[in-house]
C-alpha cells in the first residue's frame, strides 16, 4: 500500500502527456486551472451542481470538480481549449452565431457538455423525456428541443441564455450524419 | 480535506484488507458523492481504496435475470438496450436522477451507498446525529421539508436520495456483497438499508471492508411499469416524492402490483401494505387512496413535510391511471 499523500500520475490533457506528482486531494478542476493554467474550464460551485467545470474524460462528459486526479491515471482529458486543434469547433461557431451567451462564464461547460450529450445521442442513449424509452431509436439529427433541454439540465446559466443555447445545439445536431461533430 | 493516501488494488481480497486496516479507510468509485463530502469535511478518510480495477463491470442478461456489476456506470446501465427492453423502470429511474455528467461518472454501488442530502448532515458547523452521533437532530425543529415521514425516528428523519434504488426495490433486486472475510451474501434492499432508530450514523448493514460486487435483477415479469418523480424543478433535482410502480391488470383486477417510494423514508420504501390492499382488486382511485392511507398509517409527518403523504397518494393515482387506462371505466 501507498502511505504517501501524493502519487505519480500520467494524464493526457488536450493531447499532451503530463507526468506529475499529484496530491491525492487534488481535483481535476484544480489541476487544470491552477497547475496547467487551462483556465477555460470554470469553477462555479465546486460541488457538482452547476456544470461549469464540465470536461471530456476518455470521450465522456464529466464534472472535473468531483474527479480526483489520482483516479485518472492513464486517462485522456479534453477541455474547451483542446476541442479543435485547427481553430474553432462547429459548436463554438454555433454558440457565436446564435448569441448563446451573455457573461460567458457557463459557456465552456455548456459547450463540452453539449459535445458529450450529442455523442450520447449518437450512441442511441435515451433521456427521461424520450417517448417510449424502452424501444425508441434515438437519433441525434432528429432530437427534439425538449430532449436537448433535458440532456443539458446539468448545466446552469445564470444569465438565462438557455433558449439560444438550445438553438445552437439544435443547429449542429440537425447537420449530423452520424459522423463526428 | 486532510491529507490522505490512495490505493488501487487489483484484487477484491486486497481491497477488503486495505479498508479493514484503518477505521477511516473507504472505497471510492465515481467519487461524485464521496469527493463532495470530503470537501465539506463531512467524511474524513485517511485512505481511499479505488474499486476501478476490481473487475466489477459485468452486465449480462440471462433467462433468469440480469447481473449488473457494481462498477457499471449509471449512464451505461440506463442506456443499455437490454435494460431498456427488460427493465425500462431502471432506465427511467436512473435518467430521472442527477445530470448526464454525473451519471457518466457514478457507479451502481456508489449510487446505492450515497449519503443523505439533509442540509444539516452536509454542514459540519451544525449538530447532526447521522454525522456525529448524540449531537442532536436540528432538522426536526428546523428545515425538514425535503425529509422523511416513514421509517424515521426521533433521532433522524433523513431520506435516502437515490432514484435508482427505488426502482430496484420495486423489482425485488438483490445486492451481492463480498464480505470483508471473503464470504458472499445476497441482500434485498430492505436487508441492505437500516432504519435509523437510535443509530442513524449507520445507513446500511455493511461492515468495513464489505464490497458491493453486483446487483441481480430477477427475470422481467412483463408487467407495465412507470417511474415518476415530483421535484422542485423539472430536471436535475432530488425527489420530493417519487414512485416506482408496476401493475398488471387482468379482467379489470390487479394481478401483479408493486409500489416503491423515494423521498419519503431513510430507504427506498417498498409499500407492501398498499400492494396487499390492491392485489386482486379493481385499482380505482378510491381504493388507491385507502391503500395509501394504510401504508402511511405509521407515518410521522412533520409540519413542513406532511404534504408528502397526500402527494404520494395523488402520484400513485396518476401513475395507475397511466398503467391501467382500461380501469378508468371502473372508477
Ligand atoms: C448535484 C447532484 C445531484 C444529484 N442528483 C441525484 C438525483 O436526483 N438522484 C439520485 O439518485 N442521485 C443524485 N445524485 C447522486 C449521485 O447519483 C451519486 O453521487 C452517485 O450515484 C454516487 O456514485 P459514485 O460511484 O460516484 O460513488 P462514490 O462517491 O465513489 O461513493 C459513494 C459511497 O459508496 C461507497 N462505495 C462505492 N463503491 C463501493 C463498492 N463497490 N462497495 C462498497 N462501497 C462502495 C463509497 O465508499 C462511498 O461511501 C446527485 C449528485 C449530485 C452531485
Ligand atoms: S435528519 Fe438525520 S441527517 Fe438530518 S440533521 Fe437530523 S440526524 Fe442529521
Ligand atoms: S464547478 Fe463543478 S459542477 Fe459546479
Ligand atoms: S452566459 Fe452567463 S452564466 Fe451562462
Amino acid at each position: 500500500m501507498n502511505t504517501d499523500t501524493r502519487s505519480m500520475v500520467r494524464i493526457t490533457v488536450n493531447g499532451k502527456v503530463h507526468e506529475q506528482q499529484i496530491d491525492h486531494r487534488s481535483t481535476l478542476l484544480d489541476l487544470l486551472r491552477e497547475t496547467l493554467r487551462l483556465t477555460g474550464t470554470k469553477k462555479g460551485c465546486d460541488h457538482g451542481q452547476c456544470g461549469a467545470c464540465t470536461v471530456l474524460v476518455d470521450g465522456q462528459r464529466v464534472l472535473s470538480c468531483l474527479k480526483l486526479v489520482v483516479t485518472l491515471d492513464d486517462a485522456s482529458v479534453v477541455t474547451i481549449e483542446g476541442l479543435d486543434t485547427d481553430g474553432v469547433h462547429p459548436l463554438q461557431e454555433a454558440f457565436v452565431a446564435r448569441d448563446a451567451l451573455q457573461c460567458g462564464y457557463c459557456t465552456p461547460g455548456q459547450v463540452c457538455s453539449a459535445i458529450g450529450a450529442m455523442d450520447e445521442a449518437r450512441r442511441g442513449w435515451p433521456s427521461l423525456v424520450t417517448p417510449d424509452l424502452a424501444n425508441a431509436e434515438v437519433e441525434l439529427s432528429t432530437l427534439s428541443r425538449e430532449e436537448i433541454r433535458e440532456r443539458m439540465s446539468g448545466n446552469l446559466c445564470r444569465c438565462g441564455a438557455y433558449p439560444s443555447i438550445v438553438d445552437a445545439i439544435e443547429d449542429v445536431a440537425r447537420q449530423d450524419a452520424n459522423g463526428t461533430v | 480535506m486532510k491529507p490522505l493516501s490512495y490505493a488501487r488494488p487489483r484484487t477484491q481480497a486486497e481491497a477488503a484488507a486495505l479498508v479493514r486496516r484503518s477505521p477511516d479507510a473507504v472505497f471510492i468509485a465515481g467519487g461524485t458523492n464521496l469527493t463532495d463530502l470530503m470537501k465539506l469535511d463531512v467524511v474524513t478518510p485517511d485512505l481511499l481504496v479505488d474499486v476501478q480495477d476490481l473487475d466489477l463491470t459485468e452486465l449480462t442478461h440471462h433467462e433468469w435475470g440480469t447481473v449488473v456489476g457494481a462498477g457499471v456506470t449509471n449512464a451505461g446501465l440506463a442506456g443499455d438496450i437490454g435494460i431498456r427492453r427488460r427493465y425500462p423502470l431502471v432506465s427511467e429511474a436512473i435518467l430521472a436522477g442527477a445530470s448526464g455528467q454525473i451519471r457518466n461518472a457514478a457507479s451502481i454501488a456508489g449510487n446505492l451507498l450515497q449519503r443523505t442530502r439533509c442540509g444539516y448532515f452536509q454542514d459540519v458547523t451544525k449538530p447532526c446525529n447521522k454525522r456525529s452521533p448524540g449531537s442532536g437532530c436540528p432538522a426536526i425543529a428546523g428545515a425538514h421539508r425535503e425529509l422523511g415521514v416513514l421509517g424515521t425516528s426521533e433521532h433522524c428523519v433523513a431520506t435516502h436520495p437515490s432514484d435508482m434504488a427505488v426502482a430496484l426495490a420495486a423489482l425485488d433486486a438483490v445486492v451481492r456483497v463480498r464480505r470483508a472475510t471473503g464470504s458472499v451474501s445476497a441482500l434485498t434492499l430492505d436487508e441492505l438499508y437500516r432504519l435509523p432508530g437510535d443509530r442513524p450514523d449507520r445507513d446500511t448493514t455493511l461492515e468495513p471492508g464489505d464490497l458491493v460486487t453486483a446487483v441481480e435483477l430477477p427475470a422481467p415479469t412483463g408487467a407495465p411499469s412507470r417511474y415518476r418523480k415530483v421535484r422542485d424543478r423539472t430536471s436535475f433535482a432530488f425527489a420530493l416524492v417519487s414512485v416506482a410502480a408496476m401493475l398488471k391488470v387482468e379482467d379489470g383486477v390487479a394481478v401483479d402490483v408493486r409500489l416503491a417510494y423515494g423521498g419519503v423514508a431513510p430507504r427506498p420504501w417498498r409499500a407492501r401494505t398498499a400492494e396487499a390492499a390492491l392485489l386482486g382488486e379493481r385499482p380505482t382511485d378510491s381504493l388507491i387512496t385507502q391503500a395509501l392511507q394504510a401504508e402511511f398509517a405509521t407515518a410521522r409527518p412533520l409540519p413542513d413535510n406532511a404534504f408528502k403523504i397526500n402527494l404520494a397518494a395523488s402520484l400513485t393515482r396518476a401513475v395507475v391511471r397511466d398503467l391501467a387506462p382500461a380501469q378508468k371505466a371502473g372508477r
Side-chain angles (χ1 to χ4, degrees):
Chain A
M1 170 184 136
N2 182 359
T3 52
D4 293 343
T5 58
R6 291 149 67 87
S7 294
M8 187 61 100
V9 174
R10 188 189 147 91
I11 186 169
T12 306
V13 179
N14 298 335
K16 190 164 169 234
V17 180
H18 299 266
E19 256 180 287
Q20 299 208 345
Q21 283 288 335
I22 297 289
D23 185 307
H24 296 150
R25 298 170 290 186
S26 306
T27 61
L28 177 57
L29 178 57
D30 288 340
L31 175 82
L32 294 172
R33 291 184 55 87
E34 309 295 329
T35 310
L36 303 181
R37 292 285 172 202
L38 293 169
T39 52
T41 307
K42 298 296 186 246
K43 184 181 281 192
C45 66
D46 213 19
H47 290 284
Q49 300 173 354
C50 73
C53 66
T54 304
V55 298
L56 300 164
V57 173
D58 294 330
Q60 300 219 8
R61 55 176 173 159
V62 300
L63 300 176
S64 60
C65 73
L66 295 182
K67 259 295 163 211
L68 296 179
V69 182
V70 67
T71 66
L72 294 176
D73 197 24
D74 284 334
S76 176
V77 177
V78 173
T79 70
I80 190 77
E81 291 92 344
L83 285 182
D84 195 328
T85 39
D86 319 319
V88 182
H89 189 279
L91 195 65
Q92 289 171 305
E93 278 171 3
F95 265 64
V96 174
R98 288 293 194 163
D99 217 358
L101 58 144
Q102 285 179 42
C103 76
Y105 198 81
C106 71
T107 312
Q110 300 278 4
V111 170
C112 288
S113 183
I115 289 171
M118 289 194 293
D119 197 51
E120 290 158 16
R122 224 180 268 123
R123 229 176 293 155
W125 284 3
S127 82
L128 189 63
V129 301
T130 305
D132 188 18
L133 166 154
N135 304 297
E137 297 217 2
V138 174
E139 262 185 51
L140 175 57
S141 60
T142 56
L143 221 53
S144 69
R145 293 178 67 84
E146 192 194 4
E147 281 268 12
I148 294 171
R149 280 205 300 273
E150 167 59 26
R151 289 165 191 262
M152 292 295 293
S153 70
N155 291 82
L156 305 192
C157 173
R158 280 203 68 184
C159 302
Y162 298 110
S164 324
I165 293 171
V166 176
D167 289 341
I169 298 171
E170 204 181 9
D171 285 351
V172 178
R174 292 287 171 267
Q175 293 161 19
D176 187 69
N178 279 328
T180 357
V181 174
Chain B
M1 248 191 255
K2 67 178 190 192
L4 78 166
S5 19
Y6 170 85
R8 188 166 157 177
R10 306 222 155 242
T11 67
Q12 297 181 2
E14 200 188 331
L18 284 167
V19 169
R20 279 232 290 193
R21 197 170 300 167
S22 157
D24 291 332
V26 292
F27 291 120
I28 182 166
T32 58
N33 189 221
L34 192 61
T35 309
D36 196 7
L37 293 175
M38 282 164 55
K39 289 183 187 185
L40 296 165
D41 281 328
V42 171
V43 180
T44 53
D46 59 3
L47 167 65
L48 298 179
V49 178
D50 196 328
V51 302
Q52 67 177 304
D53 291 337
L54 300 183
D55 205 11
L56 298 173
T57 53
E58 171 181 2
L59 175 49
T60 53
H61 299 285
H62 314 268
E63 216 165 291
W64 54 265
T66 287
V67 180
V68 183
V72 171
T73 64
N74 290 3
L77 186 62
D80 180 72
I81 193 69
I83 294 291
R84 287 168 60 191
R85 299 245 161 87
R86 287 158 64 97
Y87 313 97
L89 189 64
V90 172
S91 294
E92 260 185 274
I94 290 174
L95 295 173
S99 66
Q101 293 97 310
I102 293 169
R103 295 189 297 264
N104 279 341
S107 68
I108 301 309
N111 185 312
L112 288 172
L113 300 177
Q114 61 175 303
R115 310 298 307 273
T116 185
R117 306 303 288 201
C118 173
Y120 301 102
F121 176 75
Q122 297 186 334
D123 179 353
V124 293
T125 67
K126 301 285 190 315
C128 165
N129 285 330
K130 191 182 272 302
R131 181 168 29 75
S132 76
S135 61
C137 173
I140 292 172
H144 54 246
R145 175 174 171 271
E146 279 82 25
L147 305 184
V149 295
L150 279 173
T152 54
S153 75
E154 59 187 297
H155 302 283
C156 180
V157 295
T159 53
H160 192 271
S162 169
D163 289 292
M164 180 190 75
V166 181
L168 297 186
L171 287 162
D172 285 324
V174 165
V175 178
R176 272 202 221 153
V177 178
R178 181 201 182 276
R179 298 293 184 187
T181 53
S183 67
V184 172
S185 305
L187 307 176
T188 64
L189 294 199
D190 281 353
E191 290 164 345
L192 173 67
Y193 296 114
R194 286 182 72 257
L195 293 180
D198 59 3
R199 286 298 304 275
D201 53 310
R202 302 199 54 194
D203 290 359
T204 71
T205 57
L206 298 181
E207 299 289 338
D210 287 358
L211 178 76
V212 173
T213 56
V215 168
E216 263 176 37
L217 298 164
T221 63
S225 67
R226 191 78 206 276
Y227 188 77
R228 267 192 76 173
K229 176 174 177 181
V230 179
R231 38 186 163 170
D232 284 331
R233 59 182 182 203
T234 319
S235 188
F236 198 28
F238 286 94
L240 289 170
V241 177
S242 69
V243 63
M246 300 175 69
L247 176 67
K248 194 168 184 184
V249 176
E250 276 171 17
D251 298 329
V253 303
V255 293
D256 185 8
V257 49
R258 322 255 196 108
L259 295 169
Y261 295 86
V264 296
R267 64 180 178 210
W269 192 264
R270 181 72 185 268
R272 295 188 192 274
T273 305
E275 291 174 7
L278 291 167
L279 191 67
E281 306 288 339
R282 297 179 86 82
T284 59
D285 276 3
S286 62
L287 187 67
I288 294 166
T289 306
Q290 279 174 35
L292 268 283
Q293 264 164 11
E295 186 67 47
F296 283 81
T298 58
R300 303 158 48 105
L302 296 164
D304 296 334
N305 70 6
F307 74 93
K308 290 191 173 189
I309 298 177
N310 281 336
L311 186 53
S314 54
L315 192 57
T316 311
R317 288 192 297 267
V319 164
V320 169
R321 281 197 292 268
D322 272 6
L323 289 176
Q327 295 315 296
K328 274 181 186 158
R331 268 193 283 155

